Amino acid sequence: MNQPLPASRQTKALVADASGIAEAAALLRAGGLVALPTETVYGLAADATSGTAVAGIYTAKERPSFNPLISHLPDLATARRQGLFDANALALAQAFWPGPLTLVVPASSGCTVSDLARAGLPSVALRVPAHPVAHAVLEAAGRPIAAPSANRSGRISATSAAHVLADLDGRIDAVLDAGPTEVGVESTIVACLDGAPRLLRPGGVPRAAIEHVIGRPLVIAGDAGHAPISPGMLASHYAPAARVRLDAEAPEDGEAWLGFGPEGREHAASLNLSPSGDLREAAAHLFGYMRRLDEMGRKTIAVARIPEHGLGEAINDRLRRAAAPR
Ligand code: AMP
Ligand code: MG
């Protein structure tokens, strides 16, 4: 993003003992950002149930687009409150959790993972990490924790606390130092959404081990490293039914209106991402407000101009995708 974030926070280096773990969990519960060791790489953790906490991840990483994030849980029982596990998902969880496997499953009706962490999707990505320190923090935090790799966007994943600090010192509340991570590659991601499990990203659990458990070959979605999924297979991006008109001055007749900043507009079908013009608040509201306006059934959603700096870049990226002709 084009405006550098001022190094405004004092980043604490916490030792991964009982008191460091308790402090990390308390920071997370309070909406803070904490880099945590997992068995794959260091994760930049935030409360997945809080849109504003999740928005902080994007600010710290300077990530220019919103992707769905993986939510981490201490065990299968808590994971099953967030998502619906079919027979394959259950077999994979039982075989590989705790461990470097992420399962993308339909969100349950009681799912508490925020819209921003799910990037507006009806599915949720869940993982139970094996690292004892990560596990202890997740137990103490008592809620799903979103944690993409703890590096700035475009740099390599951090596998030690020193790597984390090289990228994120002054941008996050703490790093919980438990030495270098062991696997150093990210989790394997498998989607169990409609019967045939799909490999979305290769990673720490080998494909053959997964195929052994499910007793069939995995469907491969897109190329290694990312999850571009061919149209119709899985909605990898949230898309509203309504047409989206960007950089609007005002709604036209019959349009729904998504505002930003102080405007004092009175309109039947309008929501304001942040009346005070706070981009972090706007990011937290983006997917939920788009869905609410879409559900009003208007043909078009007109969207106010969002500044292109800071989190505005990621917000505009998402809005442009929503506005792209389909
Ligand atoms: P990471 O940056 O390691 O947290 O990676 C997150 C990965 O999980 C990205 O490749 C996402 O596209 C993928 N992912 C997370 N949630 C979902 C979902 N609901 N549907 C499809 N892919 C997902
Ligand atoms: Mg990464």
Side-chain angles (χ1 to χ4, degrees), residues 115-132:
D115 277 313
L116 186 58
R118 285 158 54 192
L121 295 174
S123 55
V124 63
L126 303 171
R127 180 162 102 82
V128 174
H131 197 290

Side-chain angles (χ1 to χ4, degrees), residues 149 151 157 186:
S149 58
N151 50 275
S157 300
E186 282 150 320

Side-chain angles (χ1 to χ4, degrees), residues 42-120:
Y42 271 74
L44 178 50
D47 178 352
T49 69
S50 161
T52 45
V54 172
I57 290 176
Y58 285 90
T59 306
K61 285 181 67 100
E62 298 188 326
R63 201 161 166 175
S65 63
F66 296 127
N67 302 317
L69 301 177
I70 298 167
S71 289
H72 296 75
L73 292 147
D75 49 45
L76 176 57
T78 49
R80 288 187 80 176
R81 284 186 217 133
Q82 301 297 328
L84 302 173
F85 286 63
D86 65 11
N88 287 314
L90 203 54
L92 290 172
Q94 279 160 350
F96 299 112
W97 282 357
L101 174 72
T102 295
L103 293 170
V104 174
V105 296
S108 70
S109 58
C111 180
T112 56
V113 175
S114 60
D115 277 313
L116 186 58
R118 285 158 54 192

